Amino acid sequence: MHPVPRVSPEHLAARRLQIVDAARRCFLREGFHRTTMQDVIAEAGLSVGAVYRYFPSKADLISAIAEEAVGGAEVVLDELLHREPPLPLVEVLDRALAYVETQTGDDGALRIAVQVWGEAQRDPVLAELVAAKYDSFRRHFEALVRRAQGIGEVPADADPEAVAAALFGLVPGWFLQRLLTGRPDRATYLAGVRTLLAR
C-alpha cells in the first residue's frame, strides 16, 4: 500500500480562505438568506465534498465570516492599547475609524457585519459570537480609557466602563451613517466629536 500524501497546513488554510472568500462574495451579492450552499460551492469552483469538509453548514460559514470581519479591528485596538506614549482618546477614535474606513467599500467587511447583526437576532450561536466580540471591543476601549485616566485626560472618578461604552458607540454610529447615506466623512465626524468633548 502506498501512504496517502499529507496535505500541508498551508494548503488547508488556502482552501478554507478560498471558500470563505466565495461565501463573502455570495452574501454581499444576495444576502445570507438568499444564498445557498450550492451558490457558495459554484462560486468557489470546488466539489460539494471539499466545501462541506470545511463548513458543514451555511451557519458555519456565516460564523467564519463574522470572525474575519472583526479580527482586523482587534489587531488595531491592541496596537493602540500598547502604543507609547498613549494617544488622546479622540486620536484613538480617529485611528479606529481610519481602520473602519478601509472596510466600508462594496466588498468591505462592514457590509457583511450589518448582515451578521441581523442574523444574530435569530441565531443564538451567532448571537453569542457577536456578543463576545463586541464585549472584547468594549474591554479594549475600557483599557484605553483607564490609560487616559492615568494621564489626566479623563477624570479619575469617571466610570471607565461607562466612558468606554460611549466611546465605542461612536464607531458604529459613524460607519452606519456612512453605509446608509454616504456621509459624513471621517474628518467632519471627528470635528463634531471634538466639539462635544471640549471642556
Side-chain angles (χ1 to χ4, degrees):
M1 290 182 61
H2 296 288
V4 176
R6 290 177 59 94
V7 178
S8 72
E10 292 79 13
H11 175 81
L12 294 173
R15 182 56 53 86
R16 185 180 189 280
L17 181 60
Q18 180 181 352
I19 298 165
V20 169
D21 285 346
R24 183 191 303 103
R25 290 192 298 273
C26 290
F27 291 151
L28 285 168
R29 203 165 47 234
E30 298 294 337
F32 287 150
H33 289 290
R34 291 182 59 183
T35 297
T36 66
M37 285 298 283
Q38 288 70 33
D39 294 330
V40 175
I41 291 162
E43 183 78 20
L46 298 171
S47 70
V48 171
V51 172
Y52 278 100
R53 174 183 179 187
Y54 292 88
F55 299 100
S57 71
K58 190 165 73 167
D60 293 313
L61 268 170
I62 293 170
S63 293
I65 289 173
E67 287 270 11
E68 185 183 276
V70 298
E74 288 186 322
V75 170
V76 170
L77 290 174
D78 275 334
E79 290 171 355
L80 289 169
L81 186 55
H82 296 98
R83 188 183 187 284
E84 293 295 345
L87 288 173
L89 288 179
V90 173
E91 298 308 315
V92 166
L93 181 62
D94 187 20
R95 301 288 177 93
L97 295 183
Y99 169 74
V100 166
E101 197 165 31
T102 68
Q103 302 299 311
T104 57
D106 288 343
D107 61 347
L110 292 179
R111 293 184 185 280
I112 291 287
V114 173
Q115 291 190 54
V116 168
W117 295 348
E119 189 67 13
Q121 303 307 302
R122 56 167 296 280
D123 181 338
V125 174
L126 189 58
E128 190 174 320
L129 169 68
V130 170
K133 289 299 180 183
Y134 281 86
D135 283 344
S136 173
F137 289 156
R138 274 196 299 270
R139 284 193 298 274
H140 277 86
F141 276 98
E142 183 176 342
L144 287 160
V145 169
R146 290 184 188 280
R147 290 190 89 195
Q149 284 180 308
I151 61 173
E153 183 187 3
V154 173
D157 60 351
D159 177 353
E161 188 176 345
V163 176
L167 185 63
F168 171 52
L170 293 170
V171 177
W174 176 68
F175 78 67
L176 279 175
Q177 291 184 69
R178 283 296 302 269
L179 287 177
L180 295 172
T181 70
R183 60 182 191 278
D185 60 62
R186 191 170 98 242
T188 300
Y189 188 74
L190 284 165
V193 171
R194 287 188 175 93
T195 299
L196 286 173
L197 296 181
R199 290 191 276 167

